[in-house]
Amino acid sequence: MNATPIPEAPVAQPVQSGAVQVQEARRRALSAMRAPAQMKIICIDITNKCDLGCSNCTRLLVNQDKHWDMSPDNFRLALRSLRGYPGTIAVIGGNPCMHPKFAELCEIFVEEVPDKGQRGLWTNNVFKHAELSMETFGVFNLNPHNSARGVESLKPLKDLGWYHGGHSDHSSLLAAIQDLYEPVEMWERIGRCDVNQNWSASIVQVRGGLKAYFCEVAAAFDLARGGEHGMDVVPGWWERPLDDFHGQVDRFCPGCGVPAKVKGHLDHDEIDTYSHTNADLAERSAKKKNRKVVKVDRSTFKNIADIPVTSYSSYLRQQGPHIFIVTPYYQESLDVLRRCHESVMAQQIEARLTHVMIADGHPREEIDGWDVLHVRLPKAHGDNGNTPRAIGTVIAETNGAEFMAFLDADNWYYPDHLSSMLEAMRETGASVACSWRHYFGPDGEQIPVVEQDEMELRHVDTSCIVLSRAAFEVNQLWSSMPRILTPWCDRVFMTGLRHRRHVQCYTRKKTVAFTTIYTRHFLDLNLPPPANSKMPPDDAMLAYLQSLEGVQETVRRMGFWPLAI
């Protein structure tokens, strides 16, 4: 389809002579990856036209030389090939609403897929098609990337599905993982790739025919290079095991940046980050389209650790229990708040997720466009987030929460956090689940902190707690706790759970990323403490608890003396 053929990227060799460890790492990666039949969504790319030019576009649109639109006949064939598929079938682009025959494709969609709840629209701007879209589709993924035109066009639809009104931070696709990591770690990362675990397979049109890919980003790479390495689209192709897609995995995954999780740019920056393997694509777009590009290698790239490359809406996970996640925030940066929120939306769990973010006197207007319940308190309370937590738990309980979790604004969840917590509850019958955590400095770098009382199950951080409905009554402690004890709020809260004899279970997994500014964590590791490091007033709190006033006040307000438990 390209006017000028582009050289193919090097295809990774599955096994190099004598590389037993690489072979085993690849085997483990393939066993962990999902086949299309296991995915909740399969996309059909109906056009590569788009009215935006986002940084590190997940469809590599700026790297494709020629515009194309899927023919109506091919669209019908694509839909028929998916008969029997139980998940969402989503049209995407580019911007699918820019297809010149969008209305005709909508008619075909309704004819071939009678269940409106299966028909999905992924778009940044519906233009004149708002009414038609509401009639045709039952699932919406709407992201205007903060474009004023897109925001305006999506107003009629924004409450019908996932809506992200702010800018997006796009991790790099063109910074190939094979350029940045040794083969064993490369395959380990490929095995837990966000796109394979959370995104979808894809059908695209190539040279007038249809091709299917186990991964939508793999399809984008093939389109960008003018390749034709997809599977033929025939009825039931999506039911084939991942073994049948191993050739695609070997061809596309090592040259992709998604599993490398390289820090990218905001969408509106229109900058692509790339490495040696994909220099052909990046430098070509820079030359032909004046695209801004930044090259990285092993010595210069910055990893974004366990921040998800993408997030999916709770709207797309309507089955399962309703979980509320309560996050107080104060004066954290927007990037930190976005990291927190996106980790909630990226949870790999069949559940309805509601993220409650409570501004403790310093609200951020940008959050109004996120998929959250945004609560603004008129002033800061200076109680380590206890007042916002108290309000957040009341909101959660009155809105039908079945489980509640807590996540401080500068922390984030690993993708399996909530699923592992609820699984532990199901296995044990406990009303409270607890996890462990990894520690990070304010700069985002992981540090090897070990909290002995945590490993011995004597302490649990607030962000590592999930409550079932049976334990909700303990949430009154967030408002009744004496202010002097709020630096120990998590310890007091856990003591309250034990006083009320709520059974706790422990996953013994580190599924929370915790940002520490405690001075002793750095001094114990012979590291310089950050400028904003702090020492909790342990002596003052202990003296209070050992005083007559402390005993009387804690018993009166909370019903127990924390040192007695």
Side-chain angles (χ1 to χ4, degrees), residues 120-160:
L121 175 64
W122 273 217
T123 186
N124 61 282
N125 189 330
V126 292
F127 301 103
K128 62 181 180 181
H129 298 304
E131 185 174 344
L132 176 61
S133 297
M134 288 188 284
E135 293 173 355
T136 304
F137 301 98
V139 183
F140 295 90
N141 192 343
L142 310 172
N143 188 350
H145 295 281
N146 215 34
S147 161
R149 291 178 302 170
V151 169
E152 183 63 28
S153 85
L154 295 175
K155 280 184 177 179
L157 291 83
K158 64 181 299 184
D159 294 327
L160 300 180

Side-chain angles (χ1 to χ4, degrees), residues 423-464:
E423 180 63 25
M425 285 174 148
R426 283 191 291 268
E427 290 178 352
T428 63
S431 56
V432 182
C434 309
S435 74
W436 290 338
R437 51 188 167 161
H438 287 290
Y439 291 81
F440 292 79
D443 59 359
E445 295 294 325
Q446 188 169 347
I447 54 177
V449 173
V450 176
E451 286 277 9
Q452 200 58 40
D453 59 348
E454 180 176 300
M455 305 307 291
E456 295 174 357
L457 311 184
R458 291 183 284 111
H459 170 59
V460 182
D461 183 74
T462 306
S463 294
C464 299

